[in-house]
Amino acid sequence: MSSEHAHTASVGVVRPQTARFSEPLTLRGGMVLRGYELVYETYGRLNADRSNAVLVCHALNASHHVAGYYEDDPDNTGWWDNMIGPGKPLDTDRFFVIGVNNLGGCHGSTGPSSINPDTGRPWGGDFPVVTVEDWVDAQARLADQLGITRFAAVMGGSLGAMQALAWAIRYPDRLRHSIVIACAPNLSAQNIAFNEVARQAIITDPDFHGGAYQLQGTAPKRGLRVARMVGHITYLSDDEMASKFGRQLKHGRLGYSFDTEFQIESYLRHQGNKFADYFDANTYLRITKALDYFDPAFACGGDLSAALKDVTAGMLVVSFTTDWRFSPERSREIVRALLDNRARVTYAEIDAPHGHDAFLLEDPRYHRLVAAYFRRIAAETQA
Amino acid sequence: MSGANGSQRPDFAAIAQCVPRAAHVLDLGCGDGTLLKYLQQSRGVTGYGVEIDDAKVLACVDNGVHVIQGDLERGLAEFADGSFDFVVLSQTLQAMRNTERIVREMLRVGRAGIVTFPNFGHWKNRLQILRGRMPVSDRLPFEWFDTPNIHLCTIADFERFCAERGIRIVSRTVLSNGRPVKSLPNLLGELAVYHFSG
């Protein structure tokens, strides 16, 4: 999408804000964060009875910059700008939308590149491993600070969807609806395997220095590059890759060398380079761990229905037919467990060719469905 | 979206009569969710619809009906045994490829089932066959070559089907022009509504 088009129904110029928390947060892994900051953005207006707030949770590489653009950087459009804005499926004329950079992130919230108050130096590899539940707990404190006792909805795709699901489990009284897109109730062995390849690429990069690379004035960019390349393979469907790149050659002939020859190689390298320039390796390691650890059924002996028994939120679960990373079958596991609990669940399986990435793209069937669901929420909350 | 009143589809009121108040209902092939909405409003039921078509799933969301997108031909794997009071298959049986399997699935996930279908034995259909043509009518608006109705049956056929499989018919309502038919149902009935259990 061109930035010009994006701006036509955009929330416009946005400004990130910082929330500070001095109450210690005990993490799942046992460590206690004495204090921390979360960077967030808001769009639309909180209504008088504070009933129209929607929290949008981000996935692996994204941030609090969900919609709109920055005054000094108009091309930096929010990562879900096609979904959120005036008249868009999540309509900012009706809802007050919050995007937040998660704990351990590298876009301004407290994370591995922040200063550890105990040492006066960057946390680096000493920053604790954080989980989806830790993120959700921190988001709940942000909601407290903003005076929001109950969200109209919490919404996310992929890892963001896991947060939306965790919200429905952990804070059933604090959300009316949970919108869970391209999700899985836990990672498969194959999913974990891809994450481990990514982590090993980073950790074995000589520039990693046990995570203390900032002190060395360097960064494990080669590892991060490979990690991102592996990730990108899993975000696209085989068909999408075939139609986008096929066996197309960059220079029209074979070079019998190890330069980029096929277009797909060029694409992956480009994505890897771009990513390594802005993303922090320690954050990447932690986010892949959060993915691996997410497994609400684990505490209930593998019984997902038992794990979801306290869910009272209305649930919209959406999957995409060509998503092989988190396939529709994985979403149906969530649906099945919700049905066992007679939860208020709607499930849609969108026939889209784009694989896992489909949740970020503008597909009319997908967007119409989300828009219809939000109209329902608006009717309920008089938003 | 039109409102959910019983006049829209003549079988709705007959279905509602079978369903006790506040029952947990699964509506298979629920379309735009009109029947479920009607049952929610008239009988206070809870439950879900199952629908395969994107546009109809969207209409269900607009109608405030909980819908699970899925293909009935693949069975009802998402639904646990005995998890519903009633499973409804309204004017869809005749379009199913695997008729026997869906009836068995209905009785697996529900304590009782309700099936409605156009009666192929209605005299107008018989007359058209006698004239040598496949029937086309208000109830069966399709030509033979484009019909989704691949398993049409008569009232007598369905009752034999149930008898041979040990399926107990709890009640039967046969309708013509939206009114109950008392005599010669297989000849005078346009639409059959069966309430059955395992």
Side-chain angles (χ1 to χ4, degrees):
Chain A
M1 196 197 312
S2 72
S3 56
E4 193 187 320
H5 173 218
H7 289 189
T8 53
S10 168
V11 297
V13 172
V14 296
R15 240 171 263 108
Q17 293 168 270
T18 302
R20 290 180 183 81
F21 302 85
S22 50
E23 195 191 333
L25 182 71
T26 304
L27 304 172
R28 272 221 158 173
M31 263 186 76
V32 178
L33 267 184
R34 282 194 287 135
Y36 54 95
E37 293 181 351
L38 294 177
V39 174
Y40 67 99
E41 287 177 8
T42 69
Y43 325 111
R45 276 199 190 157
L46 188 61
N47 61 10
D49 58 358
R50 295 164 188 263
S51 63
N52 69 334
V54 175
L55 176 68
V56 177
C57 305
H58 70 75
L60 219 162
N61 66 310
S63 70
H64 53 283
H65 186 36
V66 180
Y69 53 93
Y70 296 132
E71 192 151 36
D72 57 353
D73 188 5
D75 287 330
N76 186 356
T77 308
W79 59 271
W80 221 353
D81 197 78
N82 62 25
M83 181 67 87
I84 295 150
K88 288 182 179 174
L90 173 44
D91 189 345
T92 48
D93 288 339
R94 291 177 158 191
F95 291 100
F96 176 68
V97 180
I98 303 166
V100 54
N101 184 213
N102 282 325
L103 213 51
C106 55
H107 291 97
S109 292
T110 299
S113 39
S114 310
I115 301 297
N116 178 351
D118 291 340
T119 63
R121 291 186 307 186
W123 281 93
D126 294 333
F127 194 84
V129 169
V130 284
T131 64
V132 168
E133 288 77 9
D134 297 330
W135 288 337
V136 166
D137 290 350
Q139 289 161 1
R141 290 189 182 180
L142 176 64
D144 293 341
Q145 228 178 70
L146 297 174
I148 295 155
T149 49
R150 197 178 186 200
F151 283 108
V154 178
M155 174 187 195
S158 189
L159 177 58
M162 290 174 171
Q163 293 158 61
L165 184 59
W167 261 96
I169 297 169
R170 282 177 93 70
Y171 297 104
D173 301 333
R174 298 200 62 177
L175 74 167
R176 286 176 184 276
H177 291 270
S178 169
I179 300 177
V180 172
I181 303 167
C183 193
N186 60 21
L187 259 57
S188 67
Q190 189 192 44
N191 294 147
I192 296 172
F194 280 117
N195 280 348
E196 177 58 5
V197 172
R199 282 191 294 266
Q200 285 302 316
I202 292 168
I203 289 169
T204 59
D205 185 323
D207 286 330
F208 183 62
H209 301 288
Y213 45 84
Q214 252 176 295
L215 292 174
Q216 309 283 330
T218 180
K221 288 198 174 188
R222 284 164 292 182
L224 205 47
R225 226 173 267 146
V226 174
R228 187 59 173 171
M229 288 167 81
V230 171
H232 261 280
I233 298 169
T234 70
Y235 304 149
L236 297 180
S237 68
D238 192 15
D239 282 350
E240 179 72 358
M241 250 193 212
S243 71
K244 236 176 164 169
F245 308 105
R247 293 182 54 83
Q248 283 170 50
L249 294 165
K250 219 174 157 214
H251 304 295
R253 56 183 168 76
L254 298 177
Y256 300 96
S257 75
F258 296 97
D259 295 335
T260 45
E261 293 193 281
F262 292 97
Q263 288 291 5
I264 182 63
E265 295 175 312
S266 170
Y267 170 80
L268 288 178
R269 287 194 196 192
H270 170 73
Q271 292 295 340
N273 288 337
K274 209 169 70 175
F275 189 69
D277 279 341
Y278 78 85
F279 211 82
D280 178 58
N282 280 318
T283 290
Y284 197 86
L285 290 176
R286 276 152 190 77
I287 291 182
T288 61
K289 272 289 173 190
L291 274 161
D292 290 2
Y293 289 154
F294 182 71
D295 187 7
F298 185 74
C300 301
D303 184 348
L304 189 62
S305 301
L308 299 183
K309 73 174 182 354
D310 293 329
V311 170
T312 53
M315 305 287 299
L316 174 64
V317 180
V318 180
S319 72
F320 300 94
T321 49
T322 54
D323 183 352
W324 59 275
R325 182 183 167 92
F326 294 160
S327 70
E329 183 46 46
R330 302 307 321 271
S331 281
R332 276 193 234 114
E333 287 177 42
I334 299 170
V335 170
R336 205 172 299 145
L338 290 166
L339 290 169
D340 285 345
N341 288 296
R342 297 195 174 186
R344 295 178 294 140
V345 53
T346 287
Y347 172 62
E349 205 168 292
I350 308 289
D351 187 12
H354 310 102
H356 188 61
D357 258 357
F359 87 88
L360 290 168
L361 303 174
E362 216 173 329
D363 176 294
R365 281 159 301 180
Y366 166 43
H367 275 201
R368 267 187 228 126
L369 183 90
V370 175
Y373 199 81
F374 270 110
R375 276 199 299 275
R376 209 157 110 179
I377 299 175
E380 252 176 54
T381 58
Q382 271 99 49
Chain B
M1 200 56 55
S2 48
N5 58 60
S7 64
Q8 282 175 312
R9 281 250 303 257
D11 51 343
F12 283 12
I15 292 169
Q17 275 173 14
C18 303
V19 178
R21 289 200 66 78
H24 196 49
V25 175
L26 182 64
D27 182 9
L28 303 176
C30 67
D32 64 7
T34 311
L35 171 62
L36 256 183
K37 191 174 178 182
Y38 172 68
L39 291 175
Q40 282 169 6
Q41 288 171 352
S42 65
R43 311 296 294 165
V45 306
T46 58
Y48 311 95
V50 178
E51 178 55 54
I52 190 169
D53 181 74
D54 290 334
K56 290 173 180 167
V57 167
L58 180 66
C60 283
V61 175
D62 276 326
N63 259 331
V65 164
H66 302 304
V67 62
I68 308 299
Q69 190 163 24
D71 182 1
L72 297 179
E73 300 287 2
R74 290 199 312 211
L76 303 173
E78 275 74 41
F79 302 97
D81 295 1
S83 50
F84 292 91
D85 299 314
F86 274 88
V87 182
V88 180
L89 188 67
S90 170
Q91 304 209 34
T92 302
L93 184 74
Q94 75 280 357
M96 293 291 300
R97 192 171 299 273
N98 201 333
T99 313
E100 184 165 2
R101 181 174 171 202
I102 195 65
V103 172
R104 294 227 175 280
E105 280 286 84
M106 288 174 75
L107 289 173
R108 177 183 68 78
V109 304
R111 283 205 289 272
I114 297 172
V115 154
T116 78
F117 58 86
N119 175 32
F120 202 68
H122 187 252
W123 65 269
K124 282 184 184 166
N125 296 334
R126 298 189 194 199
L127 200 61
Q128 289 189 57
I129 298 257
L130 273 178
R131 287 180 179 145
R133 300 284 300 274
M134 280 299 283
V136 177
S137 65
D138 291 348
R139 293 267 145 254
L140 299 169
F142 302 99
E143 293 281 358
W144 65 272
F145 51 84
D146 67 357
T147 182
N149 300 325
I150 53 175
H151 282 143
L152 288 160
C153 68
T154 68
I155 283 172
D157 288 331
F158 186 74
E159 292 189 3
R160 194 171 76 169
F161 171 88
C162 290
E164 284 173 359
R165 283 154 189 83
I167 295 167
R168 192 172 70 86
I169 292 167
V170 179
S171 68
R172 179 187 79 184
T173 307
V174 177
L175 299 168
S176 181
N177 287 324
R179 278 189 288 276
V181 173
K182 299 286 181 225
S183 55
L184 299 174
N186 201 28
L187 191 64
L188 302 179
E190 287 178 326
L191 194 63
V193 180
Y194 281 91
H195 171 190
F196 59 93
S197 65

